[in-house]
């Protein structure tokens, strides 16, 4: 099952996404409320094609906070070292956790704005976890019970500023730095232990950016347990699990597509501030 947030020339709405067995297209089955508000929701009877005029997919959630893990794949840690961005040659033993504010979140096809303060914007395709319940001090063995589902994320990073700011506040938290989408795939409908990630830049596949969550150093249950030990996770909060391999430079006009097998494509274009 897939859950989407969309607009139709007015306020945001929620919908389940279903593929029509006749024409093969995806349709939005509108819901009468907010699925994360704790109330029971049901279909309104309205049905819209995802590509219909006036329909716009939005970020599937607006989280209260976004957490991310850095160097959570050995291949990415080695790439960062070889590229001169890190003195450490291998992935650190302990989790490296950072945050992005809710104002960094955008949705599918929204522009990523290149700030004037940077000259080196990078892409980082990842799987994002979306929380479904309040989680505090959650044990590893029960962590997945608190997950609503998964979506695609591009952890857009200003690499030159990352080297200047120890807390990565500007490098990771600038407006539009957290594209999410196109929708949420429910927890039990994705092989989250081996979700395959790939990336396309201007229509060309970038093989060195691909990978699978099977190679995560700190798995998703461990991430949830660790983060919930110091921060209360709320429904809709997001955890970016890490980028699997090499990242790369972006320029204004570039088209980025994050693809996660079993979820779909998240497309955004870079624009100049």
């Amino acid at each position: 099952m897939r859950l989407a947030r969309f607009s139709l020339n007015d306020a945001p709405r929620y919908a389940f996404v279903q593929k029509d067995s006749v024409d093969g297209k995806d349709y939005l089955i509108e819901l009468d409320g907010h699925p994360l508000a704790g109330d029971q929701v049901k279909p309104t009877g309205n049905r819209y094609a995802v590509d219909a005029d006036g329909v716009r997919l939005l970020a599937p959630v607006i989280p209260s906070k976004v957490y991310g893990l850095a160097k959570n794949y050995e291949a990415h840690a080695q790439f960062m070292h070889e590229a001169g961005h890190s003195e450490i040659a291998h992935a650190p033993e302990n989790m490296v956790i950072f945050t992005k504010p809710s104002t960094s979140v955008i949705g599918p096809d929204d522009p990523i704005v290149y700030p004037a303060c940077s000259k080196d914007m990078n892409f980082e395709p990842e799987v994002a976890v979306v929380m479904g319940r309040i989680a505090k001090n959650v044990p590893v063995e029960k962590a997945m019970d608190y997950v609503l589902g998964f979506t695609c994320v591009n952890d857009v990073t200003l690499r030159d500023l990352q080297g200047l700011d120890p807390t990565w506040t500007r490098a990771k938290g600038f407006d539009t730095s957290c594209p999410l989408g196109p929708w949420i795939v429910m927890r039990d409908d994705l092989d989250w232990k081996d979700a395959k990630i790939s990336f396309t830049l201007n229509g060309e596949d970038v093989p060195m950016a691909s990978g699978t969550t099977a190679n995560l150093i700190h798995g998703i249950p461990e991430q949830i347990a660790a983060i919930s030990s110091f921060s209360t996770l709320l429904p809709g909060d997001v955890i970016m699990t890490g980028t699997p391999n090499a990242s790369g430079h972006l320029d204004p006009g570039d088209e980025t597509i994050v693809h996660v097998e079993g979820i779909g494509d998240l497309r955004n274009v870079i624009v100049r501030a």
Side-chain angles (χ1 to χ4, degrees), residues 140 206 253 260:
V140 171
V206 183
V260 178

Side-chain angles (χ1 to χ4, degrees), residues 70-92 122 124 159 162 168 208 243 245-247:
K71 302 176 187 175
N72 198 27
Y73 290 83
E74 178 64 19
H76 182 62
Q78 291 182 9
F79 164 79
M80 291 290 286
H81 176 70
E82 293 167 3
H85 299 307
S86 173
E87 296 180 357
I88 303 172
H90 298 284
N122 279 212
E124 293 192 8
R159 197 68 76 198
Q162 187 177 19
W168 301 351
M208 283 301 294
T243 196
N245 207 321
S247 60

Side-chain angles (χ1 to χ4, degrees), residues 10 95 168:
D10 59 8
M95 295 186 197
W168 301 351

Side-chain angles (χ1 to χ4, degrees), residues 36-114:
L36 290 174
D39 299 326
Q40 291 292 325
V41 295
K42 60 182 183 298
T44 64
N46 296 326
R47 178 177 182 260
Y48 309 99
V50 169
D51 59 359
D53 289 343
V55 170
R56 177 183 167 220
L57 288 178
L58 306 173
V61 289
I62 298 297
S64 73
K65 52 195 171 293
V66 177
Y67 284 105
L69 268 76
K71 302 176 187 175
N72 198 27
Y73 290 83
E74 178 64 19
H76 182 62
Q78 291 182 9
F79 164 79
M80 291 290 286
H81 176 70
E82 293 167 3
H85 299 307
S86 173
E87 296 180 357
I88 303 172
H90 298 284
E93 181 178 350
N94 296 320
M95 295 186 197
V96 178
I97 302 170
F98 61 91
T99 64
K100 287 180 184 268
S102 60
T103 48
S104 68
V105 173
I106 57 173
D109 296 317
D110 286 341
I112 300 170
V113 181
Y114 207 131

Side-chain angles (χ1 to χ4, degrees), residues 166 222 232:
E222 288 76 19
T232 301

Side-chain angles (χ1 to χ4, degrees), residues 16-242:
F16 290 129
V17 185
Q18 292 183 351
K19 187 175 292 294
D20 191 279
S21 60
V22 177
D23 63 18
K25 290 185 177 182
D26 286 322
Y27 285 86
L28 298 166
I29 311 302
E30 185 183 14
L31 301 173
D32 64 358
H34 189 323
L36 290 174
D39 299 326
Q40 291 292 325
V41 295
K42 60 182 183 298
T44 64
N46 296 326
R47 178 177 182 260
Y48 309 99
V50 169
D51 59 359
D53 289 343
V55 170
R56 177 183 167 220
L57 288 178
L58 306 173
V61 289
I62 298 297
S64 73
K65 52 195 171 293
V66 177
Y67 284 105
L69 268 76
K71 302 176 187 175
N72 198 27
Y73 290 83
E74 178 64 19
H76 182 62
Q78 291 182 9
F79 164 79
M80 291 290 286
H81 176 70
E82 293 167 3
H85 299 307
S86 173
E87 296 180 357
I88 303 172
H90 298 284
E93 181 178 350
N94 296 320
M95 295 186 197
V96 178
I97 302 170
F98 61 91
T99 64
K100 287 180 184 268
S102 60
T103 48
S104 68
V105 173
I106 57 173
D109 296 317
D110 286 341
I112 300 170
V113 181
Y114 207 131
C117 60
S118 174
K119 290 182 172 56
D120 189 12
M121 177 183 281
N122 279 212
F123 58 80
E124 293 192 8
E126 307 185 15
V127 172
V129 178
V130 181
M131 303 304 295
R133 296 166 52 192
I134 296 175
K136 178 62 178 175
N137 293 324
V138 173
V140 171
E141 59 272 16
K142 293 187 179 296
M144 297 309 295
D145 294 343
Y146 293 80
V147 172
L148 175 67
F150 306 90
T151 191
C152 304
V153 62
N154 192 348
D155 175 19
V156 186
T157 302
L158 305 178
R159 197 68 76 198
D160 49 353
L161 298 190
Q162 187 177 19
L164 298 175
D165 292 349
T167 59
W168 301 351
T169 301
R170 290 185 297 167
K172 294 281 192 180
F174 65 96
D175 288 351
T176 75
S177 66
C178 190
L180 293 173
W183 37 59
I184 299 167
V185 171
M186 298 297 103
R187 178 192 61 208
D188 296 334
D189 294 329
L190 182 76
D191 182 6
W192 52 270
K193 293 181 180 180
D194 187 18
K196 295 175 175 59
I197 305 162
S198 57
F199 183 77
T200 299
L201 180 62
N202 298 326
E204 298 291 332
D205 184 45
V206 183
M208 283 301 294
S210 64
T212 168
T213 55
N215 294 328
L216 282 167
I217 294 171
H218 305 287
I220 291 171
E222 288 76 19
Q223 295 179 39
I224 295 169
I227 293 170
S228 73
S229 72
F230 66 84
S231 176
T232 301
L233 292 166
L234 303 179
D237 281 351
V238 167
I239 298 173
M240 304 183 301
T241 56

